[in-house]
Amino acid sequence: MTSPTPVPGQLASYWEFILENFSQLVVATLEHAEIITISIALAVPIGVGLGVLITFDERLATVVIWLAGVMMTIPSIAMFGLLIPFVGIGAEPVIVALVLYSQLPVIRNTYVGLTDIDPAALEAGRAMGMTRVQLLRKVQIPKALPVIMAGVRNSVVILIGIAAIGAFIGAGGLGTFIFDGIARANVPMIVVATIILSVLALAFDYAFKVSEQVFRLKNGEQIEPSRLTRLIQRVRA
Amino acid sequence: MITFENVTKQYEDGTVAIEEISFTVERGTTTVLVGPSGCGKTTTMKLVNRLEDPTEGTVYRDGDPISEFDPIELRRETGYVIQEIGLFDHMTVADNIATVPRLNDWDEADIDARVDELLELMDLPPETYREQYPTELSGGQRQRVGVARAFASDPDVILMDEPFGALDPITRENLQNEFLDIQSKLDTTILFVTHSIDEALKMGDRIAIFDVGEIVQYDTPQAILNDPKTAFVEDFIGSDRPLKKLKVTNVKDVMSPTTDGFATTSGANSAAEMVQSDGGESVTPLTPTDTALSALSRLVESDHGRLPVVDDDRVVGTVSDEDLRQCNRGVQQ
Amino acid sequence: MSEIVSGFEYLIDNFDEFLTLLQQHIALVLVSELAAIAVAIPASILAVRNARARRVVLGVGNVAQTIPTLAIIALVFPLIGIGFWPSVIGLWAYAILPIITNTISGIENVSDDTVEAARGMGMTDWEVLRKIQVPLALPVIFAGIRTSIVLNVGTAYLAFFIGGGGLGLWVVGGIQLYNMPQVLAGAIPGALLAIGADLVFARIQRRLGGESDVNNPTAGAA
């Protein structure tokens, strides 16, 4: 079987596809963003909570981070397959899987952000009469925020890709177009959906990068801020 | 006032850091804890703000056992400076200094005024340094901020653990001098830990010399130099004890009252021209607050057997090598 | 639990087919991974030695890393076609990235003092690279290969959609037919394969003197 090749001459068929399916594409993109948003909204409190918890016990930290790491190595198709008997099909198993997949970057970055701190600063804080909670709130968390943000950013990018595969078990979103496109050998469908998906990933990545940079600048770190970050700084000032 | 009464501290792993230590730090004085590393001096200091608690014995603050204080409250009333400084790198200089006042819910306007006052005191112009981050400062500037932070809420007691240990010699010397100057204007009780006997002799009103977990001598710098109680102390001071003694002694305490023919001239432009010997030669004079060591240095390089001491434009006495030797009589066996 | 047992039964009953699928799966992973290593490491070395190449490689790499795996597999179909080799090319393209980023950062993170000391002893740039930087960067490079191969085992499931075969056949087919034992019989071995590869490479990485996973935050400053 030879496959069709997208050449400039076929550009018209891409336009046609976009115009014909515009509203469905918008809906699929929104669905995709919705699944990601729900998953991240669930995943971040769990991951940050666990990350904070394991700062109290080093052995627990090793175990939890190892488990989260194992979770992440499970192939997404296999993970969906493992979840279907228990959660069924549709968006639910995909969201469960996404929450599980996002744990490693969030937990580990929270843990590292909170513990990778100048021990002298911690001692000074304690000696100045900060309580354990004040130390966390005033010293550790502000210092850890950009690192946690980097973990969330990392998660989100991974999740957008996995959520696309989730379309296969009925979660909806942009993956639906890609799978349909492959099944029907509809090249414009594959290419357009793939491009939107990639742009979505890049957009989320950029948004989180900017928020990470805002936190870093707030902590007085010397970084080269992106254009949007600089704009936000200027608006805030 | 801080009192240690038979204090022993044993860590969970069994090491005994200090054993049966007793001493008293008078209000408004600087007491230096000095000794080789691992002798228990830092542990002793940490007992004062309850970063550690004693296994046995009692530490008192102004007569009350500190076990009755809430550790958090206690620490907010106790300044703390360490060698690694421990500035919060994610906060500006001003926010770092304002840490304890904020914990104590001061008014923001008061905090601002206090931060500026301390930055001025530490020779860091507020308009330049307030909004800088610690990573933008040099080592010496960082430690100035560390000291300012410790003074922020005007604590009665300040604990300092090798505060100038990581600085280059010139910066260290400057900060020591400025700190002595600040301390002389305030009524703060200071507990200062160092491993350098020179720093101890310079900074301390009293010095506690530590040897593996106990205080072997607790005395004024002069008394320690005059009369080291054990071979360890003598060893720790080193073979240049007479010179150290001269360094902690002022010219006014060794000079002879005789003016020996020196007189001030009128209309002199500088100190160097001010005093003339009876031979009509100009001699740069000493002042009463110069150290005896600098007097010795000047004697060695001068042609004169005696140097004049001038106070308020008047020759008040002279110093000769014999006077310096007198000063060291107690030192040499 | 009964699901897992029935999945196991399905696997035993169809063991010959399972071995064929597993072979295909491993072949996809191994061929694409070896090709990725063969391209990624020279490309990284080139990037380290040439500022413009570095900018291009890292720029393309960072963007490409955010593109979903499904997107890459799906694009192979119209661009190259279907079957084993197109699948290998898709997997290869995705496997290169983690190795490149790790190799570059591994080499660049060798301390300047060490490099200067080596130069001071009269080593040429090439000798510094071969005798000092690459050996010291080896744990980090292996960490990249580890990430890459684990991802690859998972992505290889998607190869089924473009006719590449592998364990995806059972999982995808099982889901379509709602045949849960078949899904599990395809999913569990793949999960174990990925976890196993991860453990083996973690051990190699540690033997090479790499850091533990616990204190290794995922980067994001770039």
Side-chain angles (χ1 to χ4, degrees), chain C residues 55-187:
Chain C
R55 233 187 356 259
V56 172
V57 168
L58 278 184
V60 171
N62 281 332
V63 172
Q65 201 124 43
T66 58
I67 295 175
T69 48
L70 182 63
I72 291 191
I73 292 291
L75 283 177
V76 165
F77 172 47
L79 289 175
I80 306 167
I82 60 167
F84 178 81
W85 289 107
S87 303
V88 166
I89 291 173
L91 296 177
W92 166 82
Y94 207 73
I96 291 178
L97 302 171
I99 309 177
I100 286 189
T101 43
N102 273 49
T103 306
I104 292 179
S105 77
I107 290 175
E108 288 183 345
N109 283 344
V110 172
S111 96
D112 291 346
D113 295 343
T114 313
V115 173
E116 202 170 305
R119 270 209 197 108
M121 281 182 257
M123 288 193 192
T124 63
D125 278 0
W126 177 247
E127 282 168 333
V128 171
L129 189 71
R130 204 163 45 93
K131 295 190 176 164
I132 309 293
Q133 290 173 306
V134 171
L136 281 174
L138 221 50
V140 188
I141 297 175
F142 256 82
I145 296 177
R146 174 182 164 199
T147 311
S148 163
I149 204 164
V150 169
L151 280 173
N152 203 337
V153 171
T155 314
Y157 272 93
L158 301 176
F160 166 74
F161 290 109
I162 55 168
L167 292 168
L169 176 75
W170 274 6
V171 182
V172 172
I175 290 173
Q176 278 165 343
L177 301 170
Y178 213 76
N179 179 352
M180 280 310 122
Q182 188 188 329
V183 169
L184 292 176

Side-chain angles (χ1 to χ4, degrees), chain A residues 93-166:
Chain A
V94 173
I95 289 173
V96 173
L98 295 188
V99 171
L100 292 176
Y101 278 125
S102 56
Q103 291 307 297
L104 181 66
V106 179
I107 295 177
R108 185 157 65 188
N109 279 35
T110 305
Y111 176 75
V112 172
L114 291 176
T115 51
D116 183 28
I117 228 165
D118 178 12
L122 283 186
E123 188 187 326
R126 221 156 71 83
M128 280 190 280
M130 289 191 183
T131 62
R132 188 78 188 78
V133 173
Q134 281 168 332
L135 262 184
L136 255 179
R137 224 187 50 216
K138 300 201 162 180
V139 182
Q140 289 175 286
I141 291 179
K143 195 95 203 270
L145 268 178
V147 188
I148 297 176
M149 231 43 216
V152 175
R153 174 184 168 197
N154 208 282
S155 279
V156 168
V157 171
I158 296 167
L159 295 199
I160 288 177
I162 298 173
I165 301 169

